[in-house]
């Protein structure tokens, strides 16, 4: 028996059976949950506990900076970015689910939920700016955004895990 073939039978390099894919998925959702609109969640919690002082000022300034940034990008190139995102997601759906490319399936299962989070971020940033939210109301809005993001992440991880297991079992049964 060839040593090289034995190693690569043991370490499958396909997307859903590759440990690095699952690490990337976990890191992506962990980071997305921690950085709410670009603001670290620990900064938001510290400001919420203080209720006034430098922590609250820093928190409100960070939210203002990041919401202005998000809305500027959305207003100046949002249509172009949306068109490109839809194009890429369509290409990934076709390559992955019509032509059976596992790598495209994996990229779609990473990218599609993140596009929903991106849209949610624009909506939240616009709501914060239009209502000029500050203090407790601002914290509650970011907390709501974080919870929805976490729910999207849970559903995404579940769907990805189920699809990945199905792919791994199908390849295992079909032998290749």
């Amino acid at each position: 028996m060839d040593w090289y073939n034995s190693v690569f039978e043991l370490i499958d390099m396909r997307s859903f059976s590759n440990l690095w894919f699952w690490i990337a998925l976990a890191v992506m959702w962990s980071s997305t949950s921690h950085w709410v609109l670009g603001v670290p969640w620990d900064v938001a919690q510290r400001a919420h506990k203080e209720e006034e002082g430098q922590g609250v000022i820093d928190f409100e300034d960070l939210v203002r900076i990041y919401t202005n940034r998000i809305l500027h990008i959305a207003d100046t190139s949002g249509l172009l970015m949306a068109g490109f995102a839809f194009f890429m997601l369509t290409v990934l759906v076709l390559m992955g689910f019509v032509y059976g490319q596992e790598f495209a399936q994996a990229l779609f299962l990473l990218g599609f939920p993140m596009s929903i989070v991106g849209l949610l971020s624009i909506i939240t940033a616009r709501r914060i700016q239009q209502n000029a939210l500050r203090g407790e109301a601002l914290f509650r809005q970011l907390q709501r955004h974080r919870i929805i993001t976490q729910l999207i992440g849970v559903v995404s991880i579940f769907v990805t895990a189920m699809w990945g297991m199905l792919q791994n079992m199908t390849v295992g049964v079909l032998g290749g």
Side-chain angles (χ1 to χ4, degrees):
M1 189 155 173
D2 186 17
W3 180 82
Y4 181 79
N5 289 334
S6 302
V7 169
F8 277 98
E9 281 181 22
L10 182 63
I11 304 172
D12 195 356
M13 301 306 280
R14 295 174 306 111
S15 297
F16 295 114
S17 59
N18 192 327
L19 178 63
W20 292 108
F21 171 77
W22 297 105
I23 291 172
L25 181 72
V27 167
M28 180 184 79
W29 283 111
S30 175
S31 298
T32 302
S33 178
H34 178 70
W35 295 87
V36 182
L37 295 183
V39 178
W41 186 243
D42 59 301
V43 171
Q45 286 181 318
R46 188 175 68 232
H48 181 65
K49 288 177 185 173
E50 286 183 16
E51 295 180 10
E52 61 183 50
Q54 190 61 42
V56 175
I57 294 169
D58 292 345
F59 168 65
E60 290 177 351
D61 287 343
L62 274 174
V63 172
R64 180 183 48 78
I65 289 167
Y66 281 111
T67 54
N68 287 341
R69 180 177 178 266
I70 290 168
L71 293 177
H72 174 72
I73 292 169
D75 292 341
T76 57
S77 60
L79 189 59
L80 184 63
M81 288 175 57
F84 182 72
F86 278 116
F87 170 75
M88 290 305 299
L89 290 173
T90 302
V91 166
L92 291 173
V93 164
L94 290 174
M95 286 176 54
F97 299 99
V98 175
Y99 294 111
Q101 295 295 318
E102 190 174 307
F103 185 68
Q105 293 171 3
L107 289 178
F108 177 79
L109 290 171
L110 291 173
F112 178 69
M114 288 305 292
S115 66
I116 296 171
V117 171
L119 180 61
L120 178 66
S121 296
I122 293 169
I123 292 168
T124 302
R126 197 146 328 263
R127 185 173 295 143
I128 288 170
Q129 193 176 62
Q130 285 175 348
N131 297 331
L133 297 179
R134 298 178 55 92
E136 183 65 26
L138 178 60
F139 178 79
R140 279 196 317 271
Q141 183 65 46
L142 283 178
Q143 188 175 35
R144 188 175 306 119
H145 176 84
R146 183 172 190 250
I147 289 170
I148 293 169
T149 299
Q150 288 175 331
L151 289 174
I152 293 169
V154 166
V155 170
S156 171
I157 290 169
F158 178 77
V159 168
T160 302
M162 292 298 111
W163 184 258
M165 283 191 286
L166 177 66
Q167 293 302 307
N168 288 335
M169 290 182 348
T170 303
V171 168
V173 169
L174 297 177

